[in-house]
Every structure is written in C-alpha cells, then in structure tokens.
Amino acid sequence: MADREKGGFWVGAAAALFYPLTWMGRSVYRNAERIPRSGPALLVLNHISHLDPAVDAVFVHRNGRVPRFMAKDSLFRTPIFGKIIAGSGGIPVYRDSSDAGDSLRAAHRTLQEGKIVVIYPEGTITKDPDVWPKRAYMGVARLALENDVPVIPIARWGTHQIWNGYTKKFRPLPRKTVYHYVGEPVDLSAYRERKRDQALLREVTELIMDRVLEQLVEIRGEQPPSRHRDSAEGRA
C-alpha cells in the first residue's frame, strides 16, 4: 500500500472534527480497495444527510487519501466549517450564476494534479420519502468525460438515521450502522469519442448514477419504486 497522502494543517483539523462524529455509527466498508492509493479519481456518491461529508471524508482518509469535496458555495461562508473545507482543498459549486463554470474548472485542475475529487451529483440531500437518489446534475458527466481518470460509484447508507436534515431529527442512540459500498470504476470508453451534447451528458450522468444505485440496492436489499421521482428535466 502507498503511504498516506499528506494533508496539511486544515486536513488535520478536519480529521480532528470528523473522526469523532463517525463514532456515532458503526462503519461497514465493502470493496474499499477499489479507491486508488495514488493518482486522480472521481468518487461519486448519493446524498442523504448533512453528516455525509464528515463520514465520507473519514472513509476516504482511512483509505490513505485526502478528499477534495465539491460543495455548495454557501458552505464556504460558514464560520468554522467554511475555513476547514476551503483550507483542505474543497471546491465551491456555484449554481445559476456567472461563476458556475469556475466550479468545474477548479475540479478539472484538482484531478489533473492527481488528487481525489468527491462529488454529490444530486447537488443536495434527496427529499425522496424513501431516501432514493433524486435526478442528478450533469456536471459529473462533464468531469468524467473530460478527465481520463477512474470514476468510482459509491453508495453510502445509514447517516440519515442519525441526522435527518429535513425532519430535524438527531438520533445518535442507539448506534446505527453506516455503510459504504464501492463499485467498479465506470467504463466510459464507448462515450469519450461521441459528440458532447446535452443528450450524451444526460446519458452518462444516468449511467454513473445507475452504478451508485446498484450499490445502494445491494445495501438496502430492495428495489427502488422508480428510477427518478424528481421529474426535473435537463439539469446542467
């Protein structure tokens, strides 16, 4: 195994804050060896709780890497967490503004520098009553197609049972189990030479999210009632 990636002061601060948070749940990791121990990769996860970034950061860090999260720009303006996420290499995501392209440019640079980028393509916590993923934005497809790096689907489950951001319920006890199931890298070779239009981006986005969904189905042991309850079309 390669040596642990160096993180610096702010990564250490994040670890000091996030590791204790993960003790509220029992961690179960499957196929974590699929996360590259060196070099760039795009990690794609579903989003179900405000705890997700903390437990996902610890998951990646335990596997020897420093995660660089793509996160809503508003988080970077919060007093403490904002400094931590910015200092540890986080990438602010601007939606519906003239700065929207800057998010992807920063993520491209991060991948080109050989680092791990973590993305939640749904953009926010799912509001699906059964906690299935909602329709994803297509930025994940742009990153995946423009960077020849491993695109790794990961399903995480259980954090919503500890902290549900929409119902405002916080239930650390009894301890819940938090799962991370890692899928095989998504093969995008058949898509890279095709014309990069909206139809292709939507197709690749759904392919990647389907791979995340496959891991989630395995954890939950049940099938989703439909692929997308969110009927929004053509998200970019």
Side-chain angles (χ1 to χ4, degrees):
M1 179 184 295
D3 292 337
R4 179 178 296 279
E5 182 181 354
K6 300 296 188 295
F9 172 80
W10 286 110
V11 171
L17 176 63
F18 292 162
Y19 269 80
L21 290 177
T22 65
W23 299 340
M24 290 186 290
R26 303 181 190 88
S27 298
V28 174
Y29 300 157
R30 178 175 292 183
N31 300 322
E33 70 279 359
R34 290 173 176 165
I35 296 178
R37 292 329 192 238
S38 62
L42 182 62
L43 307 188
V44 185
L45 293 95
N46 60 315
H47 200 4
I48 58 177
S49 169
H50 295 303
L51 277 179
D52 292 345
V55 301
D56 296 342
V58 170
F59 168 68
V60 176
H61 193 254
R62 280 177 173 161
N63 284 281
R65 301 304 304 273
V66 173
R68 273 75 180 186
F69 282 84
M70 297 187 70
K72 288 186 290 188
D73 63 299
S74 58
L75 292 177
F76 288 76
R77 297 191 293 272
T78 57
I80 298 175
F81 185 72
K83 285 188 175 296
I84 290 176
I85 192 172
S88 57
I91 303 164
V93 176
Y94 306 94
R95 298 213 188 277
D96 304 320
S97 79
S98 59
D99 297 322
D102 292 341
S103 307
L104 290 183
R105 283 191 288 273
H108 288 311
R109 286 196 301 271
T110 303
L111 290 170
Q112 290 162 7
E113 291 168 358
K115 299 171 182 175
I116 292 276
V117 170
V118 178
I119 185 171
Y120 302 126
E122 298 163 85
T124 189
I125 296 168
T126 180
K127 293 183 180 179
D128 184 277
D130 298 315
V131 204
W132 293 104
K134 71 185 192 69
R135 193 171 176 85
Y137 290 93
M138 294 188 287
V140 64
R142 297 179 190 275
L143 283 176
L145 290 172
E146 294 179 23
N147 296 276
D148 190 9
V149 303
V151 178
I152 302 175
I154 304 173
R156 175 240 313 96
W157 183 250
T159 48
H160 64 297
Q161 296 170 341
I162 301 171
W163 184 5
N164 187 313
Y166 287 116
T167 64
K168 309 302 181 185
K169 292 180 179 178
F170 179 61
R171 295 176 175 173
L173 297 174
R175 289 181 75 204
K176 317 300 190 296
T177 301
V178 176
Y179 300 87
H180 285 81
Y181 279 21
V182 185
E184 294 277 6
V186 182
D187 183 3
L188 297 175
S189 55
Y191 300 89
R192 296 193 183 281
E193 301 305 319
R194 287 172 50 183
K195 179 182 178 182
R196 209 157 291 172
D197 55 15
Q198 293 291 300
L200 176 65
L201 292 174
R202 173 50 58 195
E203 184 178 350
V204 171
T205 298
E206 293 186 354
L207 170 66
I208 294 170
M209 290 305 293
D210 281 348
R211 296 295 180 267
V212 175
L213 189 61
E214 288 173 5
Q215 306 305 310
L216 189 57
V217 165
E218 187 172 349
I219 296 172
R220 296 180 59 168
E222 56 185 345
Q223 294 293 324
S226 62
R227 286 190 57 200
H228 300 290
R229 292 196 182 208
D230 184 340
S231 61
E233 293 292 335
R235 286 182 157 171

